[in-house]
Amino acid sequence: MAFSKTGKVNGDDTVYELKDNVKRFTLRDLGFIEGKTGVFSLEKSLDPTSPYNANYKFKMKVDKELTGFRMAITTGNGLEKVNIFNNPDTEQSVEQYQFIINDLIDRDVIKRQV
């Protein structure tokens, strides 16, 4: 899957866009890890009670030029994309997802596309 300027997760109607002024140190401050190829990766548990007990994970990657990204919500093992928005049992995971997204918006990494 290629990196793109805009993206959204499965089931979420909101489209997000990578901001033009993203800084490497901001990504590192937010918990992104820079890989050998220069791609920044973030994996966060969507379990509000424990970061180690992940039923679902939020994953985001930003390319090394900071011009494109991709994001997804996956199962705990990270192998399969899932939709947490259509299941009432995952309401707390949706809240945790919104918290992570709002943090990324507040730190000028992404913005909601109008």
Side-chain angles (χ1 to χ4, degrees):
M1 184 176 184
F3 292 100
S4 128
K5 186 76 175 160
T6 62
K8 67 180 211 159
V9 297
N10 191 13
D12 189 4
D13 295 332
T14 308
V15 177
Y16 300 97
E17 182 178 347
L18 190 67
K19 299 221 33 190
D20 293 330
N21 60 344
V22 174
K23 304 289 185 223
R24 292 180 189 282
F25 61 84
T26 303
L27 294 176
R28 288 189 193 108
D29 285 349
L30 287 168
F32 282 82
I33 297 170
E34 189 172 5
K36 291 181 182 178
T37 60
V39 174
F40 288 90
S41 301
L42 176 71
E43 276 191 30
K44 294 259 187 176
S45 168
L46 294 180
D47 186 343
T49 59
S50 170
Y52 307 109
N53 221 8
N55 290 332
Y56 304 105
K57 286 183 182 177
F58 172 75
K59 291 178 152 187
M60 182 172 172
K61 292 187 179 225
V62 180
D63 66 4
K64 65 181 177 181
E65 293 88 17
L66 306 179
T67 56
F69 79 108
R70 61 181 178 228
M71 62 183 178
I73 295 175
T74 64
T75 55
N77 61 10
L79 297 177
E80 187 178 337
K81 291 182 182 177
V82 293
N83 181 351
I84 62 170
F85 295 93
N86 61 0
N87 187 347
D89 295 337
T90 59
E91 195 172 302
Q92 290 183 326
S93 294
V94 172
E95 281 182 40
Q96 190 71 14
Y97 163 75
Q98 292 296 340
F99 178 80
I100 293 168
I101 289 293
N102 288 333
D103 195 27
L104 292 168
I105 291 170
D106 291 344
R107 296 293 301 272
D108 290 330
V109 175
I110 58 175
K111 64 180 178 181
R112 287 182 178 91
Q113 206 175 35
V114 182

